[in-house]
Amino acid sequence: MRRKASATDNVSAARLALSDKRSIFAHSKDIRMNNISQTLKTYFGYDSFRPLQEEIINNVLAGRDTLVLMPTGGGKSICYQLPAIVAGGTTVVISPLISLMKDQVGALRANGIPAAALNSGNTDADNAAIRRDCLQGRIKLLYISPERLMNEVNFLLKDIRVALFAIDEAHCISQWGHDFRPEYTQLGVLRREFPRVPIIALTATADKITRQDIVTQLHMKDPQMFISSFDRPNLNLTVKRGYTQKEKNRAILNFIDEHRAQCGIIYCMSRNNTEKVADILRRHGISALPYHAGLSPDARNRAQEDFINDRVQVVCATIAFGMGIDKSNVRWVIHYNLPKSIENFYQEIGRAGRDGLESDTLLFYSLGDIVLLSKFANDSAQQAVNLDKLNRMQQYAESDICRRRILLNYFGENREYDCGHCDVCRNPPQRFDGTILVQKALSAIVRANENIGIRLLVDVLRGAYTQDVVSGGLDRLKTFGAGRDMSAHDWNDYLLQMLQLGYIEIAYNEGNHLKVTESGRKVLFGRERAMLVVIKHEEKRSKRQKAKAAPELPLDAPARRPEDELFELLRAHRKQVADELGYPPYIVLSDKVLHLLCSVRPTTVEAFGEISGIGDFKREKYGKGFVALINRFLKEH
Ligand code: ADP
Ligand code: ZN
């Protein structure tokens, strides 16, 4: 049946293809000159382009090959979607994951742009219908997986007029990248089979080898490269050091309390922890689900779908989660543990705030993380590289200069000024002379013959009669209890600082025992002074506040402040519309649009259509409902 349908349609489509063998964009030249801004407004509802978008679109429309490097949330999609709308024929988009395709196709259709995805998630009948629509020239953007593409290169694609190939997540082509997909390496066939069709490749992963790999493997002709800044100014950066598990959990509960009804992701190092943290959150009335590679595909899909559709507020996940998530209203990301590299970290926090609204990121990091990650790196095949990456990550976490500068410099973008909204900029660290404190710790290590790990050391310093302390005879050391005036938390923090300052090191091959280094000895014997960073105790305060705090509310709970009421009404209406249509809420309208509606309060459909992010289609489709709601609200207030 499928065969038959395509065979009958083939004839007319082949004619269509033959009639336009020269420049697929020739007829769109006039449109191009003055109308791409208009198209942006009509279809996407935006008044202006983001940096580089216009240049990229013009380059594509001129029929040239294009390579785009832009951070997550930078606005890559429009760079090929807008050309697809104004050009004749169909733009074929290669995308690695069904969930990504689904999201993009949903977003396009929600803007009235005919798009479809050919993939194994569809029934045969669906796919047959899509092929038919393509052959009849009714589809502007066709999303397709690389495997599927190979099947269609000599069939469907030869029968339709392909305007442009867009390779999304193009770094998947490179073995050097972290998301290598063998199927992507076959994409070289496109240039061979369709020498005249321009290619645009897009990625958020920027390193030079990968870049070169993309160009070579796709046989791109003299590609114009567009590299935008990797800065994500809407992401707030905060690091918290040396928390125990308990303190972390408490801090997270406080954090979520301050981010009521806002969706977020908690990244954990182990599967076990994802389950534990999700459990704790649920016990405190927060809707949360774990996500890791050990769960059944079904359970994973359900978690992802629930998150995308705002049915669950928090996902506690290993790094397995995220690649297929285009959800624009992830409002925060927490790292329960230190990630193993800055690349990983940046990619993971990048999942917050795609809509450009301010979003919070919080990284916890402890000695235990370093011990474990160092072990992984040491045991890995690329030991030197991985240790170096971990080291850079650690430096970021320990930094007392602007954290954004460190990130951007890491990615080769020279940034010479401070950002003003990372925790270091907001709260510059103060130092004090901690020589005596350091001497106490170092002396205890030496007296224990450098055969002591971190936890035991803290017990010794605090004078705790634990079983290990007593059985090891450590309570007889002269330094036993020398630091009982300080909490275990503070000792953990100072020990991390000592590690970072190079006074101690961890012998990973000797049961993670602590060793005093040469520079440590200089401090121990009074030849040098040690300057430590003052620890801030904000969490303790929150803990007390917490006692008074109201119990956690579910995701659809009513707002606390009256001025948020309209926002909540709009959000509830969006959810209702989304559920009726079977779309995720953020595809109906983004959080950013909701905030604009909330402050502008349009009372007519025309005024509704003026809001940035609302194109003609959404205006007609949703205008009445939202405007009625706003009018009702205004009458009541
Ligand atoms: P990327 O694919 O680079 O991660 P997207 O293409 O998903 O980013 O865009 C991120 C968000 O920015 C989307 O919500 C998109 O609608 C919005 N966006 C893109 N271009 C513009 C623009 N010119 N003005 C305002 N918002 C934009
Ligand atoms: Zn800063």
Side-chain angles (χ1 to χ4, degrees):
M1 155 115 188
R2 205 165 96 198
R3 288 248 154 264
K4 203 169 155 210
S6 59
T8 39
D9 288 341
N10 271 356
V11 186
S12 56
R15 235 179 276 129
L16 194 79
L18 278 176
S19 66
D20 194 67
K21 275 280 177 194
R22 281 185 307 139
S23 171
I24 36 178
F25 290 108
H27 89 286
S28 64
K29 206 164 176 186
D30 301 336
I31 306 172
R32 179 168 110 219
M33 297 320 283
N34 42 27
N35 270 0
I36 63 169
S37 298
Q38 188 52 48
T39 308
L40 181 71
K41 182 71 190 156
T42 306
Y43 284 91
F44 300 95
Y46 298 131
D47 295 309
S48 58
F49 286 102
R50 293 241 184 100
L52 294 186
Q53 281 179 332
E54 193 169 10
E55 292 89 325
I56 294 167
I57 290 167
N58 280 323
N59 197 59
V60 171
L61 288 178
R64 287 196 286 267
D65 284 351
T66 316
L67 177 60
V68 175
L69 290 110
M70 245 188 218
T72 310
K76 286 186 282 299
S77 321
I78 280 178
C79 299
Y80 60 84
Q81 290 173 348
L82 202 150
I85 296 168
V86 300
T90 302
T91 288
V92 175
V93 187
I94 290 91
S95 177
L97 292 176
I98 291 179
S99 58
L100 286 180
M101 293 188 207
K102 202 173 143 192
D103 200 88
Q104 295 263 345
V105 168
L108 284 162
R109 289 211 188 131
N111 279 324
I113 302 159
L118 269 183
N119 61 46
S120 52
N122 298 343
T123 63
D124 280 356
D126 289 343
N127 279 338
I130 292 170
R131 298 172 107 253
R132 209 161 32 238
D133 283 347
C134 287
L135 290 167
Q136 291 169 359
R138 283 204 294 256
I139 299 289
K140 277 282 163 199
L141 288 115
L142 176 67
Y143 284 73
I144 190 164
S145 62
E147 316 69 290
R148 187 102 207 171
L149 179 84
M150 290 307 136
N151 295 335
E152 299 289 5
V153 160
N154 284 310
F155 299 95
L156 181 64
L157 296 197
K158 287 282 167 66
D159 297 336
I160 62 175
R161 201 168 80 182
V162 179
L164 168 71
F165 285 111
I167 321 289
D168 206 5
E169 311 286 351
H171 59 278
C172 291
I173 210 166
S174 172
Q175 304 205 34
W176 307 105
H178 45 82
D179 286 323
F180 175 56
R181 284 175 184 255
E183 317 86 72
Y184 260 65
T185 55
Q186 299 175 5
L187 295 181
V189 74
L190 294 179
R191 182 41 43 90
R192 213 169 50 237
E193 295 295 327
F194 303 88
R196 310 178 78 105
V197 177
I199 295 176
I200 177 171
L202 311 101
T203 172
T205 304
D207 72 83
K208 279 201 189 119
I209 311 177
T210 309
R211 225 180 279 172
Q212 194 48 52
D213 237 7
I214 295 171
V215 170
T216 315
Q217 291 200 44
L218 292 175
H219 307 293
M220 292 173 95
K221 272 189 298 221
D222 200 9
Q224 188 88 10
M225 208 178 290
F226 296 89
I227 304 177
S228 81
S229 166
F230 271 66
D231 191 10
R232 301 278 313 276
N234 62 318
L235 299 185
N236 296 321
L237 307 167
T238 305
V239 177
K240 299 213 184 268
R241 176 176 54 197
Y243 280 44
T244 63
Q245 199 114 324
K246 243 190 189 154
E247 289 170 324
K248 265 199 274 197
N249 296 339
R250 198 162 54 222
I252 288 173
L253 287 170
N254 284 339
F255 179 96
I256 295 177
D257 190 41
E258 282 157 16
H259 293 77
R260 254 162 215 254
Q262 297 183 355
C263 292
I265 307 172
I266 302 179
Y267 281 106
C268 305
M269 201 181 329
S270 72
R271 296 176 181 184
N272 197 7
N273 267 348
T274 64
E275 309 246 355
K276 270 198 206 150
V277 177
D279 239 25
I280 292 170
L281 296 186
R282 274 199 300 265
R283 268 189 274 124
H284 283 80
I286 297 161
S287 65
L289 284 173
Y291 184 106
H292 56 73
L295 294 172
S296 70
D298 238 23
R300 269 181 296 167
N301 271 339
R302 232 175 308 123
Q304 180 162 323
E305 286 292 313
D306 282 353
F307 187 60
I308 287 174
N309 289 293
D310 286 1
R311 289 191 293 263
V312 65
Q313 186 186 0
V314 183
V315 171
C316 305
T318 57
I319 54 170
F321 185 68
M323 167 81 168
I325 305 282
D326 247 352
K327 182 178 168 72
S328 73
N329 62 336
V330 177
R331 293 268 65 90
W332 52 266
V333 168
I334 292 179
H335 279 88
Y336 199 75
N337 303 100
L338 192 75
K340 62 177 195 238
S341 72
I342 288 187
E343 283 95 340
N344 282 68
F345 174 66
Y346 206 57
Q347 194 183 34
E348 283 152 17
I349 60 170
R351 296 192 173 119
R354 274 173 183 256
D355 52 15
L357 285 180
E358 200 170 313
S359 306
D360 288 329
T361 78
L362 172 58
L363 163 68
F364 288 103
Y365 123 84
S366 69
L367 273 169
D369 294 345
I370 295 192
V371 171
L372 209 58
L373 287 167
S374 301
K375 184 175 154 31
F376 292 156
N378 266 314
D379 295 349
S380 70
Q382 293 169 300
Q383 194 191 57
V385 177
N386 289 335
L387 280 173
D388 185 53
K389 289 192 169 196
L390 175 59
N391 198 20
R392 300 288 297 266
M393 185 67 232
Q394 205 177 332
Q395 279 166 8
Y396 167 84
E398 284 288 346
S399 169
D400 54 7
I401 63 162
C402 172
R403 292 198 209 275
R404 202 171 310 268
R405 280 177 75 162
I406 300 193
L407 288 178
L408 293 176
N409 282 319
Y410 182 86
F411 292 112
E413 211 173 296
N414 249 319
R415 174 62 82 92
E416 275 152 12
Y417 52 93
D418 292 348
C419 78
H421 53 280
C422 67
D423 54 349
V424 177
C425 284
R426 280 192 313 254
N427 240 329
Q430 289 158 333
R431 293 191 176 269
F432 70 103
D433 187 336
T435 308
I436 294 181
L437 196 154
V438 173
Q439 285 171 336
K440 281 182 189 170
L442 298 182
S443 157
I445 296 171
V446 171
R447 283 172 198 276
N449 295 322
E450 303 191 315
N451 268 333
I452 189 168
I454 294 147
R455 196 179 310 166
L456 202 51
L457 174 66
V458 172
D459 284 343
V460 169
L461 287 165
R462 303 227 330 113
Y465 287 96
T466 61
Q467 184 154 12
D468 288 344
V469 168
V470 177
S471 66
L474 297 169
D475 52 335
R476 292 196 299 272
L477 292 185
K478 206 174 155 215
T479 34
F480 181 74
R484 62 162 53 89
D485 51 326
M486 256 170 12
S487 68
H489 170 96
D490 288 5
W491 270 117
N492 273 312
D493 189 311
Y494 290 130
L495 285 168
L496 261 174
Q497 294 192 40
M498 289 178 220
L499 186 70
Q500 190 65 17
L501 289 166
Y503 299 149
I504 48 176
E505 55 193 14
I506 299 174
Y508 298 108
N509 48 354
E510 290 178 40
N512 299 323
H513 287 164
L514 298 169
K515 309 281 166 187
V516 178
T517 62
E518 227 7 81
S519 37
R521 282 174 206 282
K522 285 184 192 153
V523 179
L524 180 58
F525 300 121
R527 291 201 297 274
E528 249 166 45
R529 312 209 65 79
M531 298 303 288
L532 298 181
V533 170
V534 178
I535 302 171
K536 301 193 181 81
H537 287 110
E538 32 194 337
E539 283 316 321
K540 300 242 165 72
R541 226 181 25 248
S542 326
K543 185 188 162 194
R544 250 176 275 127
Q545 286 166 352
K546 177 113 188 98
K548 285 183 281 169
E552 278 75 9
L553 297 171
L555 197 49
D556 51 2
R560 283 174 297 179
R561 293 182 306 168
E563 60 263 41
D564 289 341
E565 199 184 316
L566 178 57
F567 185 80
E568 290 310 326
L569 289 171
L570 292 168
R571 208 161 63 96
H573 183 63
R574 174 179 72 171
K575 176 93 170 96
Q576 191 189 334
V577 172
D579 287 348
E580 275 162 21
L581 294 170
Y583 287 150
Y586 63 91
I587 280 185
V588 172
L589 295 179
S590 71
D591 278 13
K592 198 167 190 171
V593 170
L594 284 199
H595 281 288
L596 285 171
L597 287 177
C598 206
S599 50
V600 178
R601 304 183 175 185
T603 53
T604 62
V605 171
E606 288 66 46
F608 178 83
E610 289 302 310
I611 300 285
S612 170
I614 297 178
D616 290 3
F617 194 79
K618 288 189 176 174
R619 181 192 63 213
E620 293 311 312
K621 195 152 183 179
Y622 310 133
K624 258 197 193 143
F626 279 95
V627 164
L629 186 153
I630 292 170
N631 281 323
R632 228 177 306 131
F633 175 85
L634 291 176
K635 216 178 262 164
E636 284 164 18
H637 289 76

